[in-house]
Amino acid sequence: MNMRAKKLLVVGGTLLTLAGVAVVGQVGGNSEAEASGTWVNDQLAANNKTIANAGYEKKEEIIKSSDEDIKNTINGKLDGKVKTAEEELQEMLDQYYQMKLDGLEDSEEYKYLEQQIAITKKSIYDRYVKEVDAIFAGKGQ
């Protein structure tokens, strides 16, 4: 086939193709707009579904982990305060205990024990003095 025949074949095929597209467009009414509207609506629905699913999944994830997240957050914020309160309480109790220890000398029990020590000391002294006196009895003293 010569070159001119090839060109005519290509131009003729192109014209027939264009004519076919024009005829199909007219026979189907506004099929391009309808097709365009269909895929746009389909895409819009798909986009909405994707976005809604993402929102739903995130909401479910939040609900599922909320108790643990709240607990961890509160514990994290209170840990330092609890530790400080614990240390302060222990210090306060130590100080109170030491104050009580320091104040024992003023208690009735302490005064009683002091008296008992003095009585016991005198009693033992008196007993041993008698024993020592017995050693020297009749020896001229």
Side-chain angles (χ1 to χ4, degrees), residues 6-133:
K6 284 183 183 178
K7 283 182 184 179
L8 279 175
L9 201 62
V10 170
V11 170
T14 304
L15 287 175
L16 285 176
T17 302
L18 289 174
V21 169
V23 168
V24 169
Q26 287 177 357
V27 169
N30 196 359
S31 63
E32 186 176 309
E34 288 174 7
S36 173
T38 299
W39 74 260
V40 168
N41 289 337
D42 290 347
Q43 186 62 49
L44 183 60
N47 292 347
N48 290 343
K49 181 179 178 184
T50 300
I51 293 168
N53 284 341
Y56 176 79
E57 289 171 9
K58 180 50 82 174
K59 176 203 61 131
E60 290 296 313
E61 176 187 325
I62 288 170
I63 289 171
K64 183 177 180 182
S65 66
S66 64
D67 285 342
E68 190 68 23
D69 291 344
I70 290 169
K71 178 183 167 190
N72 291 339
T73 299
I74 294 299
N75 286 343
K77 292 182 183 285
L78 291 178
D79 279 347
K81 292 179 182 184
V82 169
K83 182 70 174 164
T84 299
E86 177 185 11
E87 291 169 357
E88 288 173 351
L89 174 61
Q90 289 175 346
E91 180 63 28
M92 289 167 55
L93 289 171
D94 283 341
Q95 289 174 359
Y96 180 77
Y97 180 67
Q98 189 60 49
M99 182 182 73
K100 288 303 228 175
L101 290 175
D102 293 343
L104 284 176
E105 291 178 9
D106 298 329
S107 72
E108 293 298 317
E109 293 86 357
Y110 185 83
K111 291 176 184 174
Y112 171 77
L113 291 172
E114 279 185 321
Q115 291 171 353
Q116 291 304 308
I117 290 170
I119 291 169
T120 302
K121 179 178 80 173
K122 174 116 175 69
S123 172
I124 292 173
Y125 175 78
D126 290 345
R127 183 176 53 161
Y128 289 153
V129 164
K130 288 179 186 177
E131 289 181 23
V132 170
D133 285 346

